[in-house]
Amino acid sequence: QAFLSPKVALGEQLFPEKDGPVVQEFKQGVETFLATYNNPPQQVQLLSNALTLSAAANIFDKLYIGLLGSQLTALQALNSGGRKEVTLQHLYDAGVSRAPELYKTYPFEAWLEFLADRSLVSRKDGQVDITPKGKDFLRYLVRVGLPLTKPL
């Protein structure tokens, strides 16, 4: 939830150089857009929506970068229904066959826990289910046009 801290909301962590030309250009665009609404509550709602969607996109982009292709394939398989953990092993094994050196220090349990730690899946009694966040993540990838397949 760090994106909700005042420092992040004020841009201090993301762009300490707040006076840079790119940031200033975006800021001017936002201010021009907001000026077309002469209703402060509506301006607050627009800013709230924009911040929320931007934060979600940022989180999903970072998740996408960190996911292995085999994990993305697992999420897609889970999107049609939960499965027993052992039935996901073949997806992990496919990744191992493509990049044995990478997976040598990344066992199946860690591979699966990566998804659970990021709340993309839930695990209980050997069952794995995609979470609402996991479903939203997959929808986001489709909306922004990111590939649903990745190497490794």
Side-chain angles (χ1 to χ4, degrees), residues 49-66:
N49 289 347
L51 178 61
T52 301
L53 295 173
S54 178
N58 184 26
I59 288 168
F60 285 161
D61 286 342
K62 287 179 179 180
L63 280 171
Y64 184 77
I65 290 167

Side-chain angles (χ1 to χ4, degrees), residues 4-18:
L4 296 177
S5 75
K7 277 190 139 187
V8 172
L10 295 173
E12 293 172 15
Q13 285 181 335
L14 298 175
F15 293 102
E17 63 287 332
K18 290 184 290 222

